[in-house]
Amino acid sequence: MHIEHPRVEWRYHTNVYEINLRQYTKEGSFNAFAQELPRLRKMGVETLWFMPVTPISKEKMKGSLGSYYACSDYTSINPEFGTLDDFKKLVNTAHQAGFKVIVDWVANHTGWDHVWTQSHPEYYERDGSGNFKAASGMDDIIELDFNNPDLVEAMIEAMKFWIRECDIDGFRCDLAFWVTLDFWKKARPVLDQIKPLFWLGEFDALDNPDYLEVFDAAYTWTWMHQTEAFYKNERNIQVLENLLQRYKEVFLPGTTGLYFTANHDENSWNGTEFEKYGDMAPALAVFNCTWEGIPLLYSGQELPNLKRLQFFEKDLIEWNGRYELEDFYKKLFTLRRNNPALAAGNGKVETRILDFKLDEHIFGYTRKCGNKAVLVLLNLSPYPSRFMNKDTGITGKCKELFSNEEKDCSADQWFELPAWGYKVYIK
């Protein structure tokens, strides 16, 4: 049974910008990052996602600085970043500038010296020897026991802290599917009573569709892996179209997918967007911003950032004062915010994949809402292409987003795209 939650309206046209605070500035602090807000707002960023701002456990710490995701106290601030007052001030400044702010919430596990290991050891799962149970594949974190009702209440109280104290607008829930669905079903209505929140879950909608009962948006990991395989191996557009159809069938009304070419995990462990997608990366970015879903941008993608950032050490993003992709993202984010045809999770929008029988490398689709329409054409191949579509479902002149050229987008018109090229026509 699908329970309707008070889903926030602003989710329809938002985008998410993930902040790796440690690597963002030399200082790695809230106050230093605050200087970047005007630039990001000008670029069209809507929602700021802060990787965990809680302190990091020292016991069994990875590297010299440890993992953001090995928490030692759910209701304190990592001193590496500043103070609680600094964070409150940053959230307030962001709100005044028009941003929403969500924080990364790591409910499934804590670090080995979390305050609860002393005050409430009964909150934790145990291994066969009766010791705290290390998380699967990660020896710097230990598992919490969500069968303990006291732990459930304590976790919800900890989440309340950030809403009441810092006025955050939602949570990005780390490994949400490692936590029982019952917990999220209990937590969301309680926390939404304080303030209606945006709930982004780190789980693939295809793998854990039942979690969409609670979450507004879910990851599209399968799409991310499939597009990398598409670029590096066999280029079959039909495989991509079939996968998008599967996603379409699984999302409940009001829910949607998060689409990305980079995030903190992918960048550090699997490669930059250019290592993974090469020349196709810009076309995928256009897709992420115009398809049925919410686009995610990771710290430095606007540069673009060409290096893998170390996870447990200081490894500064190599800012150079030139944000070469700023205008590219600004155009896409602005169109997405202002055009009702690009709303995500809104039942009034019709999304249709087009058929290009004459060219198997072209992926195109229209999105329509009322009298507004957007036509997106992507050439997913290293060959220039000239092609025609028998029925775009659009009539008359459209304006292209990046070139401002006007073109008749009616049926039987010819289009041209360079290798790995893209065009976005607005009606």
Side-chain angles (χ1 to χ4, degrees):
M1 188 180 81
H2 178 46
I3 299 164
E4 274 304 316
H5 295 285
R7 301 186 191 268
V8 289
E9 289 285 317
W10 54 263
R11 78 190 189 283
Y12 288 139
H13 290 278
T14 201
N15 54 61
V16 178
Y17 185 91
E18 181 188 4
I19 298 147
N20 187 334
L21 207 60
R22 175 184 287 166
Q23 316 301 18
Y24 212 95
T25 60
K26 187 164 85 293
E27 302 84 354
S29 67
F30 297 126
N31 292 341
F33 176 75
Q35 310 303 309
E36 306 288 333
L37 292 177
R39 174 181 70 80
L40 293 173
R41 194 64 184 142
K42 183 172 156 244
M43 191 168 78
V45 171
E46 299 286 337
T47 297
L48 303 170
W49 153 24
F50 286 91
M51 288 168 70
V53 296
T54 45
I56 293 168
S57 286
K58 297 285 186 281
E59 192 179 334
K60 303 203 182 186
M61 187 172 81
K62 300 261 191 192
S64 61
L65 292 175
S67 168
Y68 285 91
Y69 295 85
C71 172
S72 67
D73 186 348
Y74 279 120
T75 54
S76 295
I77 284 281
N78 184 347
E80 185 188 335
F81 302 150
T83 65
L84 182 61
D85 280 340
D86 291 339
F87 185 61
K88 286 183 187 178
K89 188 175 154 198
L90 177 56
V91 175
N92 187 40
T93 305
H95 282 161
Q96 287 175 353
F99 293 102
K100 303 296 183 187
V101 176
I102 64 174
V103 295
D104 212 319
W105 195 255
V106 189
N108 180 69
H109 45 255
T110 74
W112 283 83
D113 55 14
H114 188 282
V115 292
W116 285 348
T117 59
Q118 297 295 319
S119 61
H120 290 286
E122 72 279 8
Y123 286 176
Y124 290 85
E125 289 189 12
R126 303 286 170 160
D127 64 18
S129 309
N131 302 315
F132 292 132
K133 183 182 171 188
S136 173
M138 292 177 267
D139 54 14
D140 62 334
I141 47 180
I142 48 178
E143 303 265 22
L144 288 162
D145 179 7
F146 279 86
N147 292 317
N148 182 330
D150 293 336
L151 176 272
V152 168
E153 290 305 321
M155 185 65 72
I156 292 172
E157 283 303 313
M159 295 174 84
K160 282 180 184 175
F161 173 87
W162 296 96
I163 309 165
R164 287 184 172 143
E165 289 294 317
C166 303
D167 195 28
I168 62 160
D169 301 293
F171 294 98
R172 178 268 183 190
C173 298
D174 181 69
L175 291 169
F177 66 104
W178 281 18
V179 181
T180 63
L181 179 55
D182 282 345
F183 169 74
W184 299 118
K185 282 181 174 176
K186 182 163 190 186
R188 174 159 188 173
V190 172
L191 297 169
D192 276 349
Q193 277 180 356
I194 304 171
K195 173 184 184 176
L197 301 168
F198 175 63
W199 292 79
L200 169 58
E202 190 198 6
F203 62 94
D204 192 303
L206 295 177
D207 298 333
N208 298 93
D210 48 339
Y211 278 66
L212 290 166
E213 291 177 45
V214 173
F215 289 91
D216 299 315
Y219 275 54
T220 54
W221 289 116
T222 310
W223 171 260
M224 185 208 72
H225 293 304
Q226 192 69 65
T227 47
E228 182 179 3
F230 175 94
Y231 179 73
K232 291 179 173 175
N233 305 314
E234 186 186 353
R235 299 203 179 116
N236 183 342
I237 295 256
Q238 194 57 52
V239 171
L240 299 185
E241 291 182 4
N242 292 346
L243 179 55
L244 290 172
Q245 183 58 36
R246 285 177 61 205
Y247 274 116
K248 189 176 180 180
E249 287 163 6
V250 84
F251 282 112
L252 297 165
T255 68
T256 196
L258 184 80
Y259 288 90
F260 49 91
T261 53
N263 61 39
H264 65 272
D265 284 316
E266 286 303 305
N267 170 277
S268 291
W269 309 117
N270 299 327
T272 70
E273 63 196 297
F274 301 102
E275 286 179 76
K276 292 168 62 183
Y277 307 111
D279 295 330
M280 189 170 77
L284 281 181
V286 171
F287 170 87
N288 294 345
C289 293
T290 55
W291 183 252
E292 168 69 49
I294 293 172
L296 168 72
L297 206 60
Y298 180 48
S299 301
Q301 279 193 272
E302 66 271 33
L303 254 178
N305 170 39
L306 302 177
K307 78 169 184 177
R308 299 187 185 195
L309 301 172
Q310 290 187 60
F311 207 77
F312 309 120
E313 310 292 342
K314 184 75 174 174
D315 188 16
L316 197 59
I317 295 166
E318 291 169 357
W319 302 109
N320 56 17
R322 297 190 307 275
Y323 307 99
E324 290 170 26
L325 296 181
E326 181 178 63
D327 194 51
F328 170 77
Y329 284 114
K330 182 179 181 177
K331 281 187 164 80
L332 288 164
F333 287 165
T334 303
L335 175 66
R336 202 173 173 283
R337 182 178 70 235
N338 296 333
N339 196 309
L342 294 186
N346 182 345
K348 299 190 182 95
V349 179
E350 177 202 348
T351 302
R352 184 163 71 96
I353 294 175
L354 303 176
D355 185 12
F356 297 100
K357 289 191 172 60
L358 297 177
D359 195 322
E360 62 195 24
H361 302 300
I362 300 300
F363 178 55
Y365 49 93
T366 55
R367 303 199 61 209
K368 290 176 163 182
C369 184
N371 61 356
K372 300 288 186 183
V374 176
L375 165 65
V376 181
L377 301 172
L378 309 174
N379 180 2
L380 302 185
S381 81
Y383 314 106
S385 184
R386 186 169 185 266
F387 56 95
M388 177 193 282
N389 178 251
K390 286 291 178 192
D391 176 26
T392 58
I394 296 173
T395 52
K397 286 264 171 65
C398 295
K399 182 173 271 196
E400 205 280 320
L401 177 66
F402 298 100
S403 64
N404 280 328
E405 68 161 323
E406 286 208 340
K407 180 171 175 63
D408 186 349
C409 288
S410 310
D412 297 326
Q413 296 295 314
W414 286 94
F415 296 89
E416 289 186 31
L417 284 176
W420 304 113
Y422 49 83
K423 288 192 175 170
V424 178
Y425 291 100
I426 306 145
K427 175 73 177 172

